[in-house]
Amino acid sequence: MVSPAAVALAPAPQHEPRDRSALPAFPSAATLDPALAGFLRAASDQLCRWWSESAQRSPLPLLSVLPDAAPAAQGLPPEALLEDLQLVMDGAFNPVHPGSMAHLDPPPLTASVAADLICAGLNNNLLAEELSPSLSRLERSLTAWMAEALGLGERGGGVAASGGSLSNLMALVVARQQAGLQGASDALVFCSADAHVSIAKALMVMGLPPQALRQVPVDGEGRMCPEQLRHELDQAHAAGLPVLAVVATAGTTVRGAVDPLADLAALCRERAIWFHVDGAIGAVFGLSPLHRSRVPDLHCADSLTVNPQKLLGITKTSSLLLLRRPELLAQCFATGLPYMEPSWAEAHGGESGLQGTRPAEVLKLWLGLRQLGLSGIEALLSGAIQRRELLQQLLSPLPLELCGGPLHLLAFTPAGLDAVAAERWSLQTRQRLLEQQLMLSRPLYRGRHHLKAVLGNPNTGEVQLRALAAVLAESCSSSPA
Ligand SMILES: *Cc1c(COP(=O)(O)O)cnc(C)c1O
């Protein structure tokens, strides 16, 4: 056993004599170390170079070499660390590439990259206020602003979460508590057939059986049918089954469809059912007066998931769970933090959700939004919509079934192919597109493979969209009908 005295006598690392050019393992508490500042500059130069060379590469790298995963016997010097980093960077997916249109992963907003660095350097902890005094307050203010901006009222607010799956899970746990259904294994959750897989995952974590999830059919545009929901709620009621929540989607993952929120909310209000809106993709459109009508009636939600990491480009992860009554979070999740000073406000960050220790993800969201301003947010949304509209226009003469919606997503598959032929077409066409540095994804939707374009990348221009349409035209003329 090491006695406390022996520990106290061990020299602290920064007191060891060292080479003046070597990278210190920890920042000095007393001097500005030029080697440390130089290292951070070199790392950001390397990143800027990686970004700037994107167009010469491909969204998906070819074969890449991974550096050793395990630490070497001796620590590496800074140059070797940067070389190792470069190897990983060379093998990374590149969201900055203009042909990067496959997923909801746009280029990073530059101010949010800087904020992420500062966040790491501050190394605060949103668990408790004494570990993140300014940042805890910033999170409360920003979530309150966002909740109000999206219509959840002036008392609205919420919590940041590491991804939309976690936001959806927390929303359903709060909903269950509000319904008094903890421990009820027969409780049901209704969502649409096109809802995100994280809803099913949440129910799994909550200990509910697979049949707890009821997927309501969608209409031809991919929107949940209120009449179908009414019918299924009536059936559940007749069978004596309790309902935990209805989850609507504002922006479905394949085509960006927006469920009819007002109609669904009215059904929920009638029956006192919690109404959660998964706006991981679409809710940000509610921040712009010009685009708000694409996601109408967000204000009807009891809880709302927003993912600024998607279209807004806030560096990952950035998701918010917003509630009309944010105090319900602590009512649900607070267990007491007996080893912490009491909170200065309503509740500690670690009492307002599932996560304990968590980084101050709010910093990059806040700085990114400040960088854009309201006009910049609107311009970003407008750009994405214009690209989707142009692509839709370019593809509409082709024999493709287009699946879109009011947002910036467009999925398509050749008309009249069976499942096997559609899969073959999607594989071949995706490969042909990749050969031209154009990356689309290949979702299975309504039993057939589609190709999907997400037009949130501001670097994508008309050139890429025309090249994309040309490959698709070619694929349609050569595909076996
Ligand atoms: C992306 C997405 C999620 C999940 O968010 P993660 O951040 O990936 O966990 C939930 N719902 C919808 C509609 C999404 O598109």
Side-chain angles (χ1 to χ4, degrees), residues 104 163-165 168 196 198 249 251 253 278 280-281 307 309-310:
L104 293 139
S165 302
N168 283 340
H196 191 259
S198 57
T249 311
T253 311
D278 179 359
I281 295 175
N307 266 22
Q309 73 193 11
K310 289 187 169 168

Side-chain angles (χ1 to χ4, degrees), residues 290-303:
L290 190 60
H291 294 291
R292 196 164 286 156
S293 59
R294 298 180 189 280
V295 286
D297 307 309
L298 290 174
H299 64 89
C300 296
D302 291 308
S303 55

Side-chain angles (χ1 to χ4, degrees), residues 259-387:
D259 288 340
L261 304 185
D263 292 350
L264 300 172
L267 282 172
C268 291
R269 220 171 304 118
E270 229 172 82
R271 295 153 203 246
I273 296 170
W274 188 274
F275 186 53
H276 175 64
V277 175
D278 179 359
I281 295 175
V284 294
F285 285 90
L287 295 174
S288 147
L290 190 60
H291 294 291
R292 196 164 286 156
S293 59
R294 298 180 189 280
V295 286
D297 307 309
L298 290 174
H299 64 89
C300 296
D302 291 308
S303 55
L304 174 65
T305 292
V306 187
N307 266 22
Q309 73 193 11
K310 289 187 169 168
L311 184 49
L312 295 182
I314 306 298
T315 55
K316 293 176 194 57
T317 49
S318 180
S319 176
L320 302 177
L321 173 61
L322 302 175
L323 293 94
R324 181 168 288 289
R325 297 171 59 203
E327 67 278 8
L328 299 183
L329 282 166
Q331 277 180 34
C332 186
F333 292 106
T335 51
L337 281 173
Y339 32 82
M340 288 292 170
E341 290 302 309
S343 161
W344 307 326
E346 273 159 28
H348 282 305
E351 299 264 85
S352 305
L354 268 179
Q355 290 175 274
T357 291
R358 59 187 169 91
E361 292 177 312
V362 65
L363 194 66
K364 60 200 179 186
L365 174 56
W366 164 75
L367 203 69
L369 295 179
R370 299 277 289 173
Q371 175 186 23
L372 289 173
L374 297 174
S375 64
I377 294 172
E378 191 158 274
L380 196 70
L381 303 174
S382 295
I385 294 296
Q386 282 159 13
R387 286 185 293 275

